[in-house]
Amino acid sequence: MAPLLSVENLNVSFVQNHQTLRAVRGISFSIETQKTLGIVGESGCGKSVTALSLMRLLPPSIAAVTAQRLLFDEIELSALPESEMRRVRGNRIAMVFQDPMTALNPLFTCGDQIAEAIVLHRNVRRAEAMARSVELLDNVGIAAPAVVAARYPHQLSGGMRQRVVIAMALACRPMLLIADEPTTALDVTVQAKIIDLLLGLQQELRMSMIMITHDLGIVSAMAHDVLVMYAGEVMENAAANTLFSNPLHPYTKSLLASIPTIERKQARLTVIPGEVPNPHELPSGCPFHPRCYARMERCRTQHPALYTPQTSHQVRCLLYE
Ligand code: SF4
């Protein structure tokens, strides 16, 4: 079966102060129907820019997006006129952002905002859309959904607001949901509930998901396939069980070593030294070399290609050349 989404050689650049900043550099991936792709990496690795470029939400005045292919359900997204892209966005592909307050309008009730999304994409009357909003709030596990539909975002807790945003994203039963750090702003117990909710809704709606996160724990709970990004490039790409049982890239290994576990809490947590490089000042050679425990002399000058040392397992590291 053809993948639901196929991305080939996606590049995103921003021009700032006469300088070109390459935020995403030639990434490729695909997502099967009803599967979840986890995109992981630290902040500033290009994960969110990738998601925004798929949704065509980056203003062309500041961002240049190119791709050999952005094929979604047999539609080439990059060739769609904006009027048709609006019919895809929020309808067939929906997005949940990290901070629900930026996705919700403080001036309208939650019910109104969900109904708005339904009216925009479906040919239904306002009253019907409002009734559907209450149903959706019920589906995302909100007790007293009719009461919450009449509330404004500031009257809800962070976890409730994120549920409202999820209800809004699912209003039109999208084929693909892109969730960008959907639980980062929430406390741990609420995080677990939101993850369970997304998993349940994915089954029910038979949708595919892109889960963008810096948290490998969330990826291990949700993803079928994983893309590890660093400095705008794919560092490793594999099925989730392969990546967790047999990580190849030193960056992936370092990320895994920094996940707290009961055993590790008793010892010291591993921290990756240094910081994600500024896209204005990318290191020469391998972009990870200043932080890599396994770097060799040639890593300073030679940019690694994406190698395939094992079937369906890609890694950008000279150790696998
Ligand atoms: Fe480390 Fe060199 Fe591999 Fe880069 S290419 S990840 S610096 S070993």
Side-chain angles (χ1 to χ4, degrees), residues 235 249-251 285-296 298-300 302-304 316-320:
M235 293 292 129
H249 199 283
Y251 181 53
C286 170
F288 187 57
H289 88 252
R291 307 174 73 192
C292 181
Y293 62 82
R295 69 174 167 257
M296 305 166 282
R298 64 200 166 106
C299 301
R300 296 176 201 277
Q302 191 179 335
H303 184 255
R316 190 181 296 283
C317 172
L318 295 171
L319 293 171
Y320 304 92

Side-chain angles (χ1 to χ4, degrees), residues 124-166:
V124 294
R125 289 175 185 279
R126 188 89 197 159
E128 199 181 318
M130 279 305 282
R132 176 86 184 108
S133 308
V134 175
E135 234 174 79
L136 280 159
L137 288 171
D138 187 35
N139 293 350
V140 296
I142 286 185
V147 175
V148 171
R151 294 218 167 124
Y152 290 88
H154 73 270
Q155 296 176 304
L156 306 179
S157 68
M160 295 254 276
R161 283 198 286 260
Q162 195 57 299
R163 282 175 195 263
V164 171
V165 171
I166 292 169

